[in-house]
Each structure stands twice: as C-alpha cells, then as structure tokens.
Amino acid sequence: MAGRRDHGKRLRRAVDALRAIDDPITRLDATRAAREELDRRERDAVADCRDAGHTWTDIGARYGLTRQGAQQRFRRHHRKSDPGSPPGPAGPRSVTP
C-alpha cells in the first residue's frame, strides 16, 4: 500500500508544478503535453494488463465500465491480436456496400 501512496504523492507534485506555471498559455501547453503522455501511459498499462492475462472485465472495473465498455474504449490500442475482443470495423461482421 505504501507504493500507491508514493505514486499519489508524485502525481500531486506534478500537478502542483503545472499549477505553479505563471504564464497561462505555457501552463496550457504543459498541461496538454502531460495529458498526452498520461494517455500513452494508460494505453500501455492496459496493453500490459491484457498481455499479463487480465480480462476486459478486470480492466473495465477500474473505470466503472462493463467488459464491452472497456473493449470499446481500449481495444484499438491493444498491441497484440486479442481473441477476447470483438472484430473491429474491418472484421468479419462488416458488410461492404
């Protein structure tokens, strides 16, 4: 549990550093860059969870999502072929006009 508290402290310090930037446009740029980096880290963490055998239900529970909701949110970012995911738009269920 101590590790989680440490991560929380680090995150709070990072957010405080963003708040401390005086120039609003510079603060906006820094906040956008931080959000993009966190989004990448989140996608990597989801892919790592799937690679480690965690289910979409496990992942969805962290977000208050169903299995299907987690798949819809993250599946396009998963690194490996994932038989637990329904086919995407180009999958076998697609109908071509």
Side-chain angles (χ1 to χ4, degrees):
M1 206 55 152
R4 280 187 170 188
R5 283 189 296 251
D6 186 47
H7 293 307
K9 286 180 185 178
R10 289 178 185 179
L11 182 57
R12 280 190 296 281
R13 284 195 305 261
V15 169
D16 289 344
L18 288 171
R19 286 184 185 139
I21 298 171
D22 290 330
D23 179 51
I25 199 72
T26 302
R27 187 171 56 248
L28 178 62
D29 283 340
T31 301
R32 180 198 45 78
R35 180 183 309 273
E36 289 173 359
E37 181 62 25
L38 286 171
D39 287 346
R40 282 190 294 275
R41 298 292 173 188
E42 181 181 46
R43 289 189 303 265
D44 289 347
V46 168
D48 290 344
C49 286
R50 292 295 296 150
D51 291 345
H54 293 282
T55 66
W56 286 113
T57 300
D58 295 336
I59 294 165
R62 270 65 185 174
Y63 293 89
L65 298 171
T66 63
R67 171 189 56 82
Q68 183 178 7
Q71 288 172 336
Q72 289 173 346
R73 181 170 177 178
F74 295 111
R75 108 182 117 182
R76 71 178 171 266
H77 301 296
H78 186 56
R79 291 186 288 248
K80 294 182 179 178
S81 173
D82 189 352
S85 294
R93 292 188 208 161
S94 296
V95 176
T96 51

